[in-house]
Amino acid sequence: MSQPERRRHFLKAGSIAAAAGLVGNWMRSDAAAQAPARTSHPPVRDEYDGFSRFKPSRGNDPDSDYYLGKMIPGFRSTADGPAPLEAPDLERLPWKMVRGAKEFHLVPMAVEREFLPGYKMNVYGFNGSMPGPTIEVTQGDRVRIVVTNELPEQTTTHWHGFELPVQYDGSETLTQNPIEPGASFVYEFDVHEEGTYFYHSHVPMQEAFGSVGWFIVHPKKVFDPPVDRDFGLIFQNFFIDSNQNIADSWQMDWNWHTINGRSGPYTTPLVVKHGERVRVRIMDFSPMQHHPVHLHGHTFWVTGHEGARIPKSAWVPRNTELIGIAQATDFEFIANNPGDWMFHCHMVHHMMNHMTRQVGPRIRQDSSVDSYLANLASRPAVDAVRTDPGFATPGYPQEMKSMKMPEAMMKTIWNRREVQGMRATWPMSVMGLMTTLRVLPDDLYHRVMETDAEIPPGSIFEEIVNRFGNPADYQPAKMGGMPGMKM
Ligand SMILES: [Cu+2]
């Protein structure tokens, strides 16, 4: 059993009684059942200078601390300490206190990472994972990181952004000798800073191969207002030829794109409760590409780059933020708009997987674009079963076709708690550097994340439309005519 399966199995026994009760509520259509229940949160003020945490709103006075939810407190109290980082699909690196330092063991190694179900790619990572496991400490900690090289070649590990004694900086040959295969090197330093950092190999080709991981430092004094949820997403690009499963780090082009080591639609949605204060930390560890990261349905504040939260007077409201290579950006928003929202890099080639198989000539060989433009009725037919006829300039139309999504792949994509109740067709549009932000009222959050109730595709989304949208204009998902898609 995978970890999510074990969790579902474990939860099943305890949730049968609760689920039976929920089904009753679920089927009712009276006003009381429709009202969002917020019983699991302590009471908070819903309105601040015209900004409601439970209504999408541009707010009122732009000079107000509460404009666009800027300083709207979360449900979490500062006394609870900082929210732990959630990096979907990545583990946290355990530590033990040894001689006054938090001691971590990090192992650079070759890793097989399943970008999509059935697409197992050979890359470099740490401790069996690409990206590596998250190091999470508190400002003021002393850390000792024992790095044992299990790569077939020399390496060093760099602690990106830290102000530390130079002999621990991990710059190969500049500050230390390379760590030979099988050998270890011990890094030890005090962590003065706070914020969003990461570690990576300092050998360029190893970086291009994926050797990176989060190094998150929580501030000693919790920021006010604290966030309820704290997510970390690492964006990466690879070139992996159509008949290969080994990344080619010499290429100047990139056809596979991952967030925390998975490509959409296998990226795991960020699921939050309606009204929560959410921080997302995004880091671009692509070899050669910047990413304009765009969130639908919300306006977020850019609250920091690399280090800790910057003064609120310097926060900038955005819908899209360009994140450069090796840069980390933090943003915060109030999840005040229920729904399943696209959250993605806006570069079109980054919104697809393995695009060499998906567009243009491979499915429309021998079709002339010119003749189509001269006569729009003569649209060339799509041949989705044609196999790799070669490269030519893509023609019209430009709709992506023939991404193979066999039944086993679809089952794996759907067999995750976080996607339950999304529209049946959602996997067709969430690809490459794309994921989803799900903002759910408390009762629906409970149903998706904390019970093992049967949740039909589309049911949670439809319920949100019923409560917050206009059900008369809602279009249920059409399941016919999608190539390769069997559900
Ligand atoms: Cu991009």
Side-chain angles (χ1 to χ4, degrees), residues 426-487:
W426 76 267
M428 302 305 293
S429 60
V430 179
M431 295 196 179
L433 284 177
M434 304 180 84
T435 187
T436 313
L437 170 75
R438 304 191 74 190
V439 179
L440 306 180
D442 270 11
D443 61 323
L444 301 186
Y445 181 94
H446 173 71
R447 190 173 163 80
V448 171
M449 296 301 288
E450 296 164 352
T451 75
D452 245 358
E454 203 59 44
I455 303 178
S459 60
I460 298 289
F461 189 86
E462 280 168 28
E463 182 60 19
I464 286 174
V465 173
N466 285 339
R467 290 186 198 178
F468 302 95
N470 186 354
D473 288 339
Y474 175 62
Q475 300 177 327
K478 275 191 221 162
M479 294 306 296
M482 274 179 285
M485 186 158 174
K486 297 184 196 115
M487 304 245 335

Side-chain angles (χ1 to χ4, degrees), residues 235 237 257 286 289-292 345-347 350 433:
F235 284 49
N237 295 160
H257 315 288
S286 307
Q289 299 276 7
H290 306 305
H291 302 298
C345 171
H346 218 291
M347 285 200 191
H350 295 180
L433 284 177

Side-chain angles (χ1 to χ4, degrees), residues 116-153:
L116 283 172
Y119 290 75
K120 294 179 180 172
M121 303 306 192
N122 292 295
V123 289
Y124 277 1
F126 296 86
N127 299 47
S129 176
M130 193 290 309
T134 300
I135 295 177
E136 195 172 358
V137 301
T138 302
Q139 180 188 19
D141 283 347
R142 185 170 184 79
V143 296
R144 182 182 306 113
I145 305 142
V146 182
V147 174
T148 303
N149 182 12
E150 287 190 7
L151 293 171
E153 59 199 22

Side-chain angles (χ1 to χ4, degrees), residues 233 270 280 282 293-295 331 341-344 434-435 437:
L233 304 177
L270 314 183
V280 182
I282 293 180
V293 178
H294 176 51
L295 173 62
F331 57 76
W341 300 103
M342 288 269 192
F343 186 9
H344 65 100
M434 304 180 84
T435 187
L437 170 75

